[in-house]
Amino acid sequence: DGSCGVAAKRRFPRLLVYSFEANPEIFALNKANVSAAGVTYLNRAVSDSVGSVKVYAPRTLSRYYDKGVVLPGHINEPKTTGKTSLLLRNEDAVYEEFDVNATTLDAFLVEEGFDVAEQRMVLWIDVEGAAAKVLQGAEKALASSVAVLIEVENFEFWKEQKDSAYITRELIAKGFIPVARDREYGDHQFNILFVKAALIPRIASELFDAKSALRSCMTSPAAPQANAIVRSKPSSSLGSHFEKRI
């Protein structure tokens, strides 16, 4: 609905903020307020190619998320559903389909006349299962980005989606480090914040100071006695299951 773009523009008025909404009904509903805040609001999909694409807004679904579990059930989605996607749901569903113009991030930056190499960008990618498509069309944009907040999934809500481990490997290969995550829908669907590796010493300098209290806590303990029982405990905010899959 463009609200995060509006919040970013209010917090940092000098920023150029672009917000993409593929669902034309949601776009029409929010266009006036988002544009009035100084955000460039566009009724376009972001994908891995340029041209017309079909997006799917579910009107009924056959399962729902409740207290950490995905359960069967008949769900009616509102017109303002946040589940519009380039992908079909991996469940019985009824859709309203829209044909919209799509772009890649790289193509859009060229279209807007930016010298991509001279830009410093932050990306927020929330595309309901289609994150891999966005990344495939963002080679140059990622090279000029300092941080990426991206929604990922471990549960197959959409057909042909890529899971969180795949997305993380892709961004690590592009020079990013995952530093934090939320639990939007537990471990089924959540957001990960990635920061360019070169910036990590500036935002977490204690990790690089051998004398810091933080580093002392990370020092390997002495070897346990032979008769001791040792139990490992996950320490990463990303979750032990997530580490193993990467």
Side-chain angles (χ1 to χ4, degrees):
D1 60 4
S3 59
C4 286
V6 171
K9 185 67 175 178
R10 288 175 177 168
R11 178 67 179 84
F12 302 102
R14 295 177 63 187
L15 283 183
L16 288 175
V17 180
Y18 294 84
S19 181
F20 297 84
E21 174 54 62
N23 185 314
E25 295 182 338
I26 295 176
F27 173 79
L29 183 64
N30 295 287
K31 180 180 179 181
N33 288 337
V34 177
S35 298
V39 175
T40 302
Y41 194 44
L42 303 163
N43 181 204
R44 298 173 74 174
V46 179
S47 188
D48 56 356
S49 60
V50 176
S52 180
V53 297
K54 195 177 293 295
V55 297
Y56 305 91
R59 295 301 174 224
T60 65
L61 299 174
S62 56
R63 61 190 181 194
Y64 66 99
Y65 179 89
D66 183 52
K67 298 177 181 178
V69 181
V70 178
L71 300 170
H74 181 84
I75 305 298
N76 293 314
E77 286 290 314
K79 283 283 188 179
T80 55
T81 179
K83 298 182 175 68
T84 301
S85 178
L86 290 162
L87 306 179
L88 292 167
R89 301 283 295 190
N90 189 33
E91 61 184 297
D92 291 333
V94 175
Y95 305 94
E96 186 169 358
E97 301 177 4
F98 301 101
D99 292 312
V100 299
N101 289 325
T103 186
T104 67
L105 286 179
D106 284 351
F108 178 76
L109 290 169
V110 171
E111 178 185 320
E112 288 292 294
F114 289 111
D115 181 348
V116 181
E118 295 298 319
Q119 305 308 309
R120 194 177 188 198
M121 296 180 290
V122 174
L123 305 177
W124 178 39
I125 303 172
D126 180 354
V127 287
E128 303 302 304
K133 287 181 173 290
V134 176
L135 296 183
Q136 287 169 13
E139 191 79 21
K140 293 180 179 178
L142 287 169
S144 294
S145 295
V146 297
V148 179
L149 179 63
I150 188 167
E151 185 182 64
V152 297
E153 293 80 25
N154 281 333
F155 188 90
E156 194 175 356
F157 289 107
W158 289 271
K159 296 177 180 179
E160 301 179 0
Q161 76 179 45
K162 301 296 186 181
D163 66 11
S164 62
Y166 176 93
I167 298 299
T168 298
R169 287 193 297 267
E170 288 292 299
L171 285 169
I172 288 175
K174 298 289 190 295
F176 292 88
I177 301 293
V179 298
R181 59 158 285 188
D182 64 14
R183 302 186 66 83
E184 182 181 12
Y185 293 105
D187 290 326
H188 292 74
Q189 185 182 48
F190 49 95
N191 299 279
I192 306 177
L193 175 63
F194 291 83
V195 175
K196 247 335 165 24
L199 294 179
I200 295 295
R202 296 173 60 182
I203 64 175
S205 58
E206 287 190 323
L207 285 174
F208 298 86
D209 181 356
K211 298 180 180 180
S212 72
L214 180 60
R215 283 292 293 271
S216 67
C217 292
M218 299 167 64
T219 303
S220 300
Q225 298 296 321
N227 60 352
I229 298 175
V230 179
R231 294 185 175 90
S232 61
K233 180 180 180 181
S235 58
S236 171
S237 63
L238 295 178
S240 58
H241 73 286
F242 184 66
E243 292 178 355
K244 291 175 183 177
R245 296 180 70 184
I246 296 174

